[in-house]
Amino acid sequence: MHIDFVIPVKGSLSKGFEAYKEKAKKSCMDYGFHMAITKWDENVSREMEIMVKEKGINSFKFFMAYKGALMINDELLLEGLKKCKSLGALAMVHAENGDAVFEGQKRMIELGITGPEGHALSRPPVLEGEATARAIRLASFVNTPLYVVHVMSIDAMEEIAKARKSGQRVIGEPVVSGLVLDDSGLWDPDFINAAKYVMSPPIRALGHDKALQAALSTGNLQLVGTDHCAFNSTQKAFGIDDFRKIPNGVNGIEERMHLVWDTMVESGQISVTDYVRITSTECARIFNMYPRKGAILAGSDADIIILNPNSSFQITARSHHSRSDTNVYEGRKGKGKVEVTIAGGKIVWENDELKAVPGSGKYIEMQPFSYLFNGIDKADAKYLSSLQAPVQRSKAAS
Ligand SMILES: NC(=O)NCCC(=O)O
Ligand SMILES: [Zn+2]
């Protein structure tokens, strides 16, 4: 199953939902949606309610970056966190300080750095760490769970680890690109090669990848996503003279299971059981689909992969199934290959051949109030009873 991000259409969540349902009609796999919240008014608040109560959406993404486009400020984030809490929906954040990124971009352009390396230089790890810390503190203030998407740096990961250690319900999701790549590709003299690595937060310098892997293996980060958002080289070339115009995003959906196995299990950093947890079970629990998804049990959906640890893979744009002409993992080889995929009890991938029928994927509704909300009401009640306020005072002037 895949959970995609819906962007509202002309500010309307319902229109966004319908547009994505339409696009998904050809889906070969089961799918669900997270919904982005990019502005705030009564209508958005009402529509969030409809999305949760009638449309099967139980998570909303707030962008703390992309100033002038998707970015929301702290006031809106607070409104969103409160609304999510009341609905039992999970608040997700794209955590970068958008105002500072804007400043960093101006700085790079003034220095004459207009190529893809300017993308990484304009939004360093400290800006990801700052926004992650801020979102965590605001979620703590509201007392609602928080999910940090595409954790790319040590700075952000350490904020999540610290909050979890203090007992806060924060989930940190690194993505495959952050786990297995470093930023050197952004300095490639060939623009198209360099531009394919542009995503946000940026792929970081060597060292962040290993630290994120370690955090996954110790449980400081909880699961691995992809943030799959592929653009071909023609689309990436929109930013040939200005890195700010390069569309953000990299591929990963086809590569995730192979690369996580090779990087985490084959290297001995995690067990096979942990591999199942960080690629499947944890996601199903967080988004309240367990045990329908994320488990092999009587009554579950029978979505299963058979991965041969002795078989090897090689990734290349020539043989991948994406329509994009580039692959950010080009040339990468490793151990552990998915040889068979079963969806809903039927074989949909075997002998390197896709047997899935377009349109056979079902929309999976996700219910609110996952396990992350257990006990939140009790903590709120405890907080209220601890206030010793309001103090009853006599109105008479002394
Ligand atoms: N990660 C990335 O660059 N994807 C595009 C949109 C987003 O920032 O989530
Ligand atoms: Zn994002």
Side-chain angles (χ1 to χ4, degrees), residues 5 61 63 66 70 94 96 119 149-150 175 198-201 226-229 231 247-250:
F5 285 100
K61 178 175 175 182
F63 290 88
Y66 302 121
L70 304 171
H94 173 128
E96 289 183 287
H119 177 75
V149 298
H150 44 49
V175 291
V198 169
M199 66 166 285
S200 295
T226 62
D227 203 40
H228 180 89
C229 188
F231 294 97
N248 282 209
V250 303

Side-chain angles (χ1 to χ4, degrees), residues 170-224:
V170 181
I171 304 289
E173 174 219 72
V175 291
V176 185
S177 50
L179 287 175
V180 311
L181 298 173
D182 65 63
D183 68 352
S184 52
L186 287 160
W187 271 258
D188 193 305
D190 179 323
F191 171 84
I192 287 302
N193 268 339
K196 76 181 180 188
Y197 294 97
V198 169
M199 66 166 285
S200 295
I203 296 165
R204 304 298 185 185
L206 200 63
H208 289 269
D209 51 347
K210 296 282 181 300
L212 296 176
Q213 292 170 26
L216 259 181
S217 71
T218 55
N220 282 332
L221 296 174
Q222 287 64 56
L223 71 167
V224 183

Side-chain angles (χ1 to χ4, degrees), residues 357-376:
V357 180
S360 58
K362 292 185 294 300
Y363 178 63
I364 306 294
E365 296 201 0
M366 292 174 274
Q367 298 306 315
F369 294 104
S370 73
Y371 81 94
L372 289 167
F373 286 83
N374 291 349
I376 292 266

Side-chain angles (χ1 to χ4, degrees), residues 69-131:
L70 304 171
M71 178 172 140
I72 47 94
N73 59 21
D74 287 355
E75 186 186 357
L76 193 159
L77 182 55
L78 274 168
E79 289 298 342
L81 290 169
K82 284 193 295 180
K83 188 74 193 182
C84 280
K85 178 179 180 175
S86 72
L87 295 170
L90 185 56
M92 314 174 91
V93 282
H94 173 128
E96 289 183 287
N97 184 316
D99 288 315
V101 167
F102 188 73
E103 177 59 28
Q105 290 175 329
K106 271 200 309 198
R107 212 187 266 174
M108 288 310 126
I109 298 296
E110 277 161 22
L111 288 169
I113 303 171
T114 58
E117 69 281 13
H119 177 75
L121 294 170
S122 66
R123 43 207 313 155
V126 65
L127 303 189
E128 190 187 343
E130 186 280 331

